[in-house]
């Protein structure tokens, strides 16, 4: 079993829709939870970063972490065609072994 | 622009050959990570160096090796290349100190094609 699981998609939504992207994980030692966005043929770039459980909002983006369920989500409100990209979750633990793991990414297409 | 540079941008070579990919981290970042990204495998962590020392190892083949030099640039060496090694190779850097920040900054990648 992979430590981080992410549905690869693709996920196609109409412009303006609310998008929900999710990852599950198995290692309870993960403390930091990140979402990266990767446009085609580019390197990933950090979108949001959360420590431990809870919600974090940044403009149209909301990240949620539920450590009890080992489940994290990224919500995109009022999705735009420019949001079309691959979204990768990533998780980090610094206690004991330093481990930074990426999900395989979910490909999102927002249709105009 | 993330501040991480990678050379070359593209590399085309033949099976059995050896290549070296180079990465310069952002100024001040001590940690360098190497990733392989292919269509069917997603972003696969290969190896991490912190201030010249190997810190973590992922799914790196024995034919692959890396090092980080005193000036903090890093090289990834791929030898006895096979068709399946064709992929995008990303380098990322971060501060990687306890307490964060833990953002990784990715370079533009090197696209390797093995014929």
């Amino acid at each position: 079993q992979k430590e981080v699981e992410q549905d690869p998609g693709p996920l196609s939504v109409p412009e303006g829709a609310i998008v929900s992207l999710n990852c599950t994980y198995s290692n309870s030692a993960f403390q930091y939870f990140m979402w990266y966005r990767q446009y085609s043929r580019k390197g990933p770039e950090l979108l949001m970063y959360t420590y431990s459980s809870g919600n974090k909002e940044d403009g149209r983006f909301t990240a949620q972490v539920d450590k009890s369920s080992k489940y994290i989500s990224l919500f995109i409100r009022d999705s735009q065609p420019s949001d079309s990209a691959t979204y990768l979750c990533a998780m980090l633990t610094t206690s004991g072994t330093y481990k930074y793991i990426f999900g395989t990414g979910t490909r999102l297409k927002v249709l105009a | 622009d993330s501040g991480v540079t990678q050379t070359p941008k593209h590399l085309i070579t033949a099976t059995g050959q050896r290549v070296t990919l180079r990465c310069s981290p952002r100024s001040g970042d001590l940690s360098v990570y190497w990733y392989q990204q292919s269509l069917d495998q997603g972003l696969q962590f290969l190896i991490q160096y912190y201030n010249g020392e190997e810190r973590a190892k992922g799914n790196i083949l024995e034919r692959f090796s890396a090092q980080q030099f005193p000036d903090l640039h890093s090289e990834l060496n791929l030898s006895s290349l096979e068709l399946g090694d064709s992929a995008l190779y990303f380098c990322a850097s971060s501060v990687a100190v306890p307490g964060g920040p833990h953002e990784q900054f990715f370079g533009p990648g090197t696209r390797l094609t093995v014929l």
Side-chain angles (χ1 to χ4, degrees), chain A residues 66-81:
Chain A
D66 182 348
K67 290 191 78 175
S68 62
S69 303
K70 297 192 179 69
Y71 189 87
I72 72 168
S73 301
L74 177 71
F75 297 95
I76 308 175
R77 289 184 299 281
D78 188 25
S79 56
Q80 304 294 310

Side-chain angles (χ1 to χ4, degrees), chain B:
Chain B
D1 183 358
S2 67
V4 177
T5 59
Q6 286 187 251
T7 56
K9 274 190 176 179
H10 302 279
L11 202 45
I12 301 174
T13 188
T15 53
Q17 295 299 304
R18 173 191 166 95
V19 297
T20 297
L21 313 184
R22 184 188 166 104
C23 169
S24 292
R26 286 188 329 150
S27 176
D29 284 356
L30 298 178
S31 204
V32 168
Y33 309 77
W34 285 98
Y35 293 90
Q36 180 191 58
Q37 189 175 45
S38 52
L39 275 173
D40 57 344
Q41 292 288 329
L43 200 65
Q44 297 287 311
F45 169 65
L46 295 178
I47 198 163
Q48 179 199 1
Y49 278 82
Y50 179 78
N51 204 20
E53 300 287 326
E54 181 184 306
R55 190 175 191 183
K57 218 167 187 175
N59 302 322
I60 187 165
L61 299 172
E62 282 192 18
R63 301 183 284 109
F64 296 0
S65 65
Q67 53 184 326
Q68 186 178 28
F69 295 86
D71 67 352
L72 300 178
H73 91 271
S74 178
E75 291 180 358
L76 178 68
N77 300 296
L78 315 176
S79 61
S80 304
L81 284 168
E82 302 175 359
L83 294 177
D85 297 327
S86 296
L88 257 175
Y89 290 83
F90 285 106
C91 167
S93 74
S94 75
V95 174
V97 295
H102 297 289
E103 178 177 1
Q104 290 191 17
F105 294 87
F106 282 78
T110 293
R111 181 170 293 280
L112 173 66
T113 303
V114 182
L115 301 175

Side-chain angles (χ1 to χ4, degrees), chain A residues 36 38 46 92 98 100 102, chain B residues 33 35 37 102-104:
Chain A
Y36 284 78
Q38 184 178 20
L46 183 71
L92 166 68
Y98 183 96
Y100 203 123
F102 279 83
Chain B
Y33 309 77
Y35 293 90
Q37 189 175 45
H102 297 289
E103 178 177 1
Q104 290 191 17

